[in-house]
């Protein structure tokens, strides 16, 4: 399985968990000029890099406010963190 497909599968799993807890996000497949798939949830943008989810939080202007890294093995914990 390609790295792109693995990333997409993880983002789909995360989005499914988010939808259980509340509204999900929007996945950009990477076709529109983005190198890898992204999941956008409110002010958070989630990407998969290696064995981790990288979550970038932005302000209203789109400037990076904070970045956090979460293991891909615990999708539910990240979904709870994003919905809190």
């Amino acid at each position: 399985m390609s790295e792109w497909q693995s990333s997409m599968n993880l983002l789909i799993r995360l989005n499914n968990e988010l939808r259980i807890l509340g509204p999900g996000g929007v996945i950009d497949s990477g076709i529109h000029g983005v190198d890898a798939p992204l999941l956008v949830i409110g002010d958070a943008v989630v990407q998969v890099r290696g064995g981790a989810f990288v979550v970038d939080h932005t302000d209203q202007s789109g400037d990076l406010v904070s970045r956090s890294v979460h293991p891909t093995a615990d999708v539910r914990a990240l979904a709870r963190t994003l919905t809190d």
Side-chain angles (χ1 to χ4, degrees):
M1 181 178 323
S2 71
E3 184 177 338
W4 182 93
Q5 187 62 56
S6 296
S7 296
M8 183 60 92
N9 290 346
L10 286 166
L11 291 176
I12 290 169
R13 281 185 49 215
L14 176 58
N15 201 33
N16 288 340
E17 288 294 330
L18 287 166
R19 287 172 192 240
I20 291 169
L21 300 171
V26 176
I27 295 176
D28 182 327
S29 63
I31 295 172
H32 304 289
V34 180
D35 293 341
L38 305 169
L39 174 61
V40 179
I41 308 129
D43 68 345
V45 177
V46 182
Q47 294 181 331
V48 178
R49 294 192 184 142
F53 288 111
V54 177
V55 183
D56 292 334
H57 291 275
T58 59
D59 62 15
Q60 291 178 340
S61 302
D63 295 327
L64 181 65
V65 174
S66 65
R67 174 173 284 164
S68 57
V69 178
H70 307 269
T72 56
D74 201 354
V75 174
R76 283 193 177 143
L78 177 55
R80 284 188 205 107
T81 299
L82 291 170
T83 57
D84 285 343

